[in-house]
Amino acid sequence: MIQRIQSLFLLAAAIIMIAVLFLPAWEETNAANTEVVTINAFELVYAQTSELTEPEVINSKPTYYISILALVAAIVAFASIFQFKNRLRQIQLGALNSLLMGANIALIYYFSTKGEPIIPNHQGEFQVGFYIIAGALFCNSLANRFIRKDEKLVKSADRIR
């Protein structure tokens, strides 16, 4: 039932959560652009750069929890699409997915606080990989709203019979 509006919102949420795997979530650079700390879904990387050479990785720390949560959230959103006959289960999966996305945001924030003191006197910036999770959360809540609306419509039709 991909033509239902809530299915389209759930599909958008799943695609966005897969995109989180490939986009940077946080970055901090020093004033001379010679040191960079980056967080993506798989690792926190501290690298030194120069204009003439490739970035040299000084330190790397795995952040695979972010990628696991993003992948699980995408799978839950995609699985929720095919639960169209059981709207209550769809609502439960939507609530679970909201928790997973919120945990993903919290993990990125946690790792950004770990990366903040690496380069002193500079503030890191959240990148698109962090902000699009809010877009997926919004799509998920819209999908839940339309699922509840369908459930209400079915219950009212049952009362009329």
Side-chain angles (χ1 to χ4, degrees), residues 44-139:
L44 182 147
V45 177
Y46 171 57
Q48 287 187 337
T49 63
S50 73
E51 295 175 12
L52 303 175
T53 62
E54 290 289 318
E56 179 185 345
V57 175
I58 303 299
N59 195 1
S60 176
K61 182 177 187 179
T63 59
Y64 55 85
Y65 301 115
I66 296 170
S67 60
I68 290 171
L69 278 178
L71 195 59
V72 169
I75 290 169
V76 168
F78 193 70
S80 181
I81 293 171
F82 298 105
Q83 296 293 321
F84 58 88
K85 290 183 181 179
N86 191 347
R87 286 174 297 281
L88 293 177
R89 178 163 296 138
Q90 253 187 334
I91 291 171
Q92 290 171 345
L93 288 174
L96 173 66
N97 210 8
S98 294
L99 288 173
L100 290 171
M101 291 177 197
N104 210 336
I105 289 173
L107 266 177
I108 291 173
Y109 180 76
Y110 170 75
F111 282 115
S112 71
T113 59
K114 292 290 184 184
E116 191 72 38
I118 294 175
I119 301 176
N121 301 327
H122 286 276
Q123 194 75 13
E125 295 179 355
F126 289 104
Q127 301 292 315
V128 72
F130 178 78
Y131 293 117
I132 64 171
I133 298 173
L137 199 55
F138 181 69
C139 287

